[in-house]
Each structure stands twice: as C-alpha cells, then as structure tokens.
C-alpha cells in the first residue's frame, strides 16, 4: 500500500479518536454533575449539625459525625418506616407491572370497536396531575374502609397509563408467530401470555418496575393524606419528622436520606442492563 492511499484515512482516524475523547470527557462531566448532589448528601450526613451551613469548614466538616446515623435510626421508628415503604413500593410495582402487561396485551392483540379511542382516552389520563385525583381517591378509600391501610397506599396509583403504553409499543413490534405456534400447541391465551410473551418482555417490564418502585418510594402527598397513624408512615413522612418547632436536625436528616436512597439505588443497579434496552424498544418499537 502506497503513502498516497493512507493519507485520506489518517485524518479520519484522528477525527474519530478526537470525537471519542470528547464524548468521554462530556460523559464524565455530566456524570460528575449528576453525582455531586449524592456526594454532597453523604458528606453532609457526616457533618456536625451546627456545621452544615457554616462557611470556612472542610467538605466533611471539622470531624466525622458517625452518630448522625444512630440518631437517625433511633429518633423515629426508622425500621418500621423502611419496612412500610418497601412493602408498599414492591407490591405497588408488582401490581403496576401486572396491570400494565394485561392491558397492553389487550390493546395490542385484541380487536374490538373503539379500541383506538379507548386507548387514546387511557393515555390522556397521563396528563392529569396527582393533586386533581386526591379528593375523589380519598373519598373512594374512605367509603371502602381502606383509609390508613396498605391497600390504600398501593391501589390508587397502580393503574397508570405509562406502563401500558411502554409495553404495548414493544408488543406491537413483536411478530405474532410466537403466539400462533403456542396456539397450535393447544395453549390458551393466558398460558401464551405468561409462558411465551412475558419472558420476551423482560426489558420493558424492568423499566416499568423501576419507575413504579421509585414513584411509590418517593410519594409524599398521597401517604400524608391517607395515613393517620405513625405505624403506617412511609419514608417521606418519616423524613418530615426530623423537622419540628425547634428547627430541623440536618445532620441526622441527611443521614436518614442517605439510608433511604440505598434501596432505590440497589434496584436500579440490579436492573441496569435491562433499562436502556427497555426504553429504546418501547420508544421505537411501536407503530
């Protein structure tokens, strides 16, 4: 190969290498921006309370205050609150996934009059803010005798349209050959859905599960209204207990926030491989 044939390729390689370096630098910068609040939260949780807003101290304060974590654990019924939040978030996410799979399968596979209009109306519910639904939902829970209970915390927001939309988009891109083969083998609709379709929906189901878990875990307004007993309190209500007439105990509060972030972070880490695939398939797979 002569020098003339290699000359045009050299600048292309240099541009490609430069582009890769710039993209990695940009990724590191954006990652640092998103990571900084978490690092600041952990650092603040290890500061003495009187130094949280003091200037002139180091990033970690004059000393590392590990006792903030023990105070956060004992100042409120923290173990009970974590159990409540985990039960509500996990059960709510499972119910959301189940409802989303069933409704998405119906909207994508069943043919009936008014299907498009019904699905459009279902999607329109996504624009309704939670504040609009609070009063009718509370009245429904009160008449059903479910106020201050786990069903009251879980049921009202397990029937959202986002999961249905995401999974339906994936189902529309899935060829019907799998279901036809299962039908020929004698499988029912439900058996086909559970044994054939659901295993293929691992990525979008992971996305719906993670989003629902985080939404339930961080929900504040609805638990504040429907729960009137400290034994049923969830994490956001528990964090509010660190603020009182004497002010906010910032050190233990930030220690508690650090602890309550860990379950959501663990869920995201465990399902991180499925999340990008589920989002991309849901966004581009439908028609």
């Amino acid at each position: 190969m002569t020098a003339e044939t290699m000359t045009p390729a050299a600048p292309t390689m240099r541009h490609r290498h430069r582009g890769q370096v710039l993209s990695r630098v940009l990724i590191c910068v954006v990652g640092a921006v998103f990571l900084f609040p978490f690092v600041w939260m952990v650092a603040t949780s290890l500061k003495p309370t009187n130094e949280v807003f003091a200037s002139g101290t180091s990033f970690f304060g004059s000393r590392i205050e590990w006792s903030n974590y023990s105070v956060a654990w004992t100042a409120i019924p923290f173990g009970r609150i974590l159990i409540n939040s985990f039960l509500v978030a996990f059960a709510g996410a499972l119910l959301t996934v189940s409802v989303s799979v069933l409704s998405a399968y119906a909207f994508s596979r069943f043919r009936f009059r008014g299907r498009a209009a019904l699905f459009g109306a279902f999607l329109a519910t996504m624009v309704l803010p939670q504040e609009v639904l609070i009063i009718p939902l509370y009245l429904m829970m009160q008449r059903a005798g479910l106020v201050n209970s786990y069903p009251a915390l879980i049921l009202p927001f397990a029937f959202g349209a986002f999961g249905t939309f995401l999974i339906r988009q994936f189902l529309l891109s899935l060829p019907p050959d799998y279901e036809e083969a299962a039908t020929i083998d004698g499988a029912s609709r439900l058996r086909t859905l559970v044994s054939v379709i659901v295993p293929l929906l691992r990525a979008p189901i992971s996305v719906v599960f993670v989003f629902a878990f985080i939404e339930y875990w961080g929900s504040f307004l609805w638990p504040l209204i429907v729960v009137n007993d400290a034994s049923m309190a969830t994490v956001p209500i528990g964090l509010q207990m660190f603020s009182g007439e004497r002010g906010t105990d910032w050190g233990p509060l930030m220690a508690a926030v650090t602890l309550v972030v860990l379950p959501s972070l663990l869920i995201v880490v465990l399902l991180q491989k499925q999340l990008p695939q589920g989002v991309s398939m849901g966004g581009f797979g439908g028609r």
Side-chain angles (χ1 to χ4, degrees):
M1 182 177 295
T2 63
E4 289 76 7
T5 58
M6 296 181 61
T7 302
T12 302
M13 292 296 295
R14 284 199 298 271
H15 287 305
R16 184 178 301 173
H17 178 69
R18 188 181 302 171
Q20 291 177 347
V21 171
L22 288 176
S23 64
R24 290 175 182 176
V25 170
L26 182 61
I27 290 172
C28 291
V29 172
V30 174
V33 170
F34 280 92
L35 191 61
F36 178 77
F38 184 78
V39 176
W40 182 85
M41 176 185 66
V42 176
T44 305
S45 70
L46 296 173
K47 282 182 177 180
T49 297
N50 59 354
E51 296 181 11
V52 169
F53 295 106
S55 59
T57 58
S58 66
F59 192 69
F60 288 98
S62 61
R63 64 181 186 278
I64 297 178
E65 196 69 39
W66 293 105
S67 62
N68 284 338
Y69 284 86
S70 60
V71 172
W73 190 267
T74 56
I76 62 175
F78 205 83
R80 177 68 183 181
I81 288 173
L82 281 180
I83 292 174
N84 287 342
S85 289
F86 185 80
L87 288 176
V88 170
F90 191 77
L94 282 182
L95 183 59
T96 302
V97 167
S98 302
V99 171
S100 299
V101 169
L102 291 173
S103 56
Y105 186 74
F107 279 120
S108 62
R109 291 296 191 262
F110 293 167
R111 308 291 177 187
F112 54 89
R113 182 178 297 178
R115 185 184 66 165
L118 182 61
F119 183 65
F122 189 45
L123 287 184
T125 60
M126 294 174 65
V127 303
L128 292 176
Q130 188 186 63
E131 290 77 6
V132 175
L133 305 173
I134 289 296
I135 294 178
L137 286 176
Y138 181 81
L139 293 176
M140 289 174 60
M141 294 297 109
Q142 188 180 40
R143 290 173 182 174
L146 296 177
V147 174
N148 199 41
S149 66
Y150 288 121
L153 290 169
I154 295 171
L155 291 177
F157 298 101
F159 300 89
F162 170 74
T164 301
F165 170 75
L166 187 71
I167 295 176
R168 176 184 174 273
Q169 294 299 101
F170 181 84
L171 283 172
L172 290 177
S173 66
L174 199 66
D177 300 351
Y178 301 101
E179 297 155 81
E180 292 174 359
T183 303
I184 293 174
D185 290 340
S188 63
R189 281 274 192 180
L190 184 60
R191 179 64 183 274
T192 302
L193 176 64
V194 174
S195 302
V196 179
I197 302 299
V198 169
L200 299 174
L201 298 175
R202 184 180 302 172
I205 284 177
S206 300
V207 174
V208 175
F209 183 87
V210 169
F211 282 17
F213 186 92
I214 293 175
E215 184 176 355
Y216 274 104
W217 187 266
S219 178
F220 173 73
L221 182 58
W222 177 246
L224 180 66
I225 293 175
V226 80
V227 168
N228 51 32
D229 188 346
S231 63
M232 291 297 297
T234 54
V235 161
I237 299 177
L239 295 179
Q240 191 190 29
M241 297 178 185
F242 287 95
S243 297
E245 296 179 354
R246 298 180 180 179
T248 302
D249 203 356
W250 288 104
L253 173 60
M254 298 309 294
V257 172
T258 303
L259 292 175
V260 302
V261 165
L262 296 180
S264 300
L265 189 63
L266 180 62
I267 293 292
V268 174
V269 170
L270 291 176
L271 299 176
Q272 60 178 326
K273 291 184 179 179
Q274 284 77 29
L275 292 180
Q277 185 183 4
V279 173
S280 60
M281 286 182 174
F284 300 104
R287 58 180 182 268

